[in-house]
Amino acid sequence: QSVLTQPPSVSAAPGQKVNISCSGSSSTIGNNYVSWYQHFPGTAPKLLIYENTKRPSGIPDRISGSKSGTSATLGITGLQSGDEADYYCGTWDSSQSSGVFGGGTHLTVL
Amino acid sequence: EVQLLESGGDLIQSGGSLRLSCAVSGFTFTNYALTWVRQAPGKGLEWVSAVTDSGDDTHYADSVRGRFTISRDRSKNTFYLQMNGLRAEDTAVYYCAKGHIERPTLWLDPWGQGTLVTVSS
């Protein structure tokens, strides 16, 4: 069981919007920055969001991140078939002095 | 261009040892923390270990603490994961990743392509 809780799967139609939630605690999300990654099996994970809301260069603005208290959310608008992948949130756990990832959410574009 | 290249993955028997390497290029090696992450077959990403920019401070997941050791060699622009007492549950693709500040965080970019470790029982 992961320290960060994500829904196992979400789905939406092309062009629609989806939100992926990530729930933690005061020692994880509550007091540390959250990052989000996109992962296609067999490839290197790709950073989508860092420091809760910031996008690296090259990530389109239809990708967004937010954080409130001990939860964070990844938003993707204008869904495309190429968005179908696994998405992970990650943050530092101050109580364990270690990093943690959520269990991952598989996004299906219907 | 920043690049990370893992090597050292192999098929090994339970109880054995293996050392993974991550050769980096395109950035000042001594300015950033470095991290190992793994993905077991059919499972999600699992944070494994990280080392600070200086190499003086290391961090480990509970699942590997006492068995794995992370280190870095500035003369070779390479960091390592020494894995001892390997177990079947350590079977995974291991990724190395670059941090963006001197201490470990989950702001990791870029990542290497991964190296497969298979532990047979």
Side-chain angles (χ1 to χ4, degrees):
Chain A
Q1 187 129 359
S2 302
V3 173
L4 304 180
T5 301
Q6 297 181 235
S9 62
V10 296
S11 62
Q16 295 300 303
K17 174 180 179 177
V18 69
N19 288 326
I20 298 174
S21 62
C22 177
S23 178
S25 66
S26 59
S27 66
T28 57
I29 294 176
N31 283 285
N32 294 285
Y33 287 124
V34 176
S35 298
W36 287 91
Y37 297 89
Q38 178 189 58
H39 190 211
F40 297 98
T43 69
K46 179 180 181 181
L47 178 69
L48 298 178
I49 296 288
Y50 66 97
E51 292 187 344
N52 304 331
T53 61
K54 298 176 182 177
R55 288 186 305 275
S57 61
I59 301 301
D61 60 6
R62 64 187 188 87
I63 305 289
S64 64
S66 64
K67 172 182 154 179
S68 178
T70 60
S71 294
T73 301
L74 175 72
I76 307 175
T77 61
L79 279 171
Q80 305 167 2
S81 59
D83 295 326
E84 194 160 295
D86 297 320
Y87 293 83
Y88 295 88
C89 57
T91 190
W92 194 252
D93 186 335
S94 302
S95 67
Q96 299 296 314
S97 197
S98 65
V100 288
F101 285 101
T105 299
H106 185 74
L107 168 62
T108 300
V109 181
L110 301 169
Chain B
E1 181 187 7
V2 175
Q3 290 188 319
L4 296 91
L5 182 63
E6 304 95 336
S7 61
D10 205 348
L11 170 62
I12 189 148
Q13 285 196 328
S14 180
S17 296
L18 203 58
R19 188 178 80 161
L20 304 183
S21 300
C22 179
V24 310
S25 60
F27 65 97
T28 303
F29 182 72
T30 51
N31 284 2
Y32 303 101
L34 299 163
T35 295
W36 288 97
V37 175
R38 69 184 181 184
Q39 185 178 35
K43 303 292 186 181
L45 299 178
E46 179 186 14
W47 184 93
V48 174
S49 181
V51 60
T52 55
D53 59 336
S54 65
D56 291 343
D57 195 14
T58 57
H59 302 264
Y60 299 95
D62 286 345
S63 58
V64 306
R65 186 175 292 114
R67 299 187 298 124
F68 290 12
T69 302
I70 190 171
S71 62
R72 57 195 299 163
D73 184 339
R74 64 182 62 188
S75 68
K76 296 182 179 179
N77 271 18
T78 299
F79 71 114
Y80 305 97
L81 188 67
Q82 177 67 43
M83 305 185 294
N84 299 331
L86 282 162
R87 306 166 180 168
E89 55 264 36
D90 295 318
T91 294
V93 174
Y94 285 73
Y95 298 97
C96 59
K98 172 186 170 292
H100 278 253
I101 58 176
E102 73 288 351
R103 60 178 174 80
T105 69
L106 268 287
W107 178 3
L108 303 171
D109 183 44
W111 299 49
Q113 287 300 308
T115 187
L116 176 62
V117 173
T118 304
V119 183
S120 66
S121 52

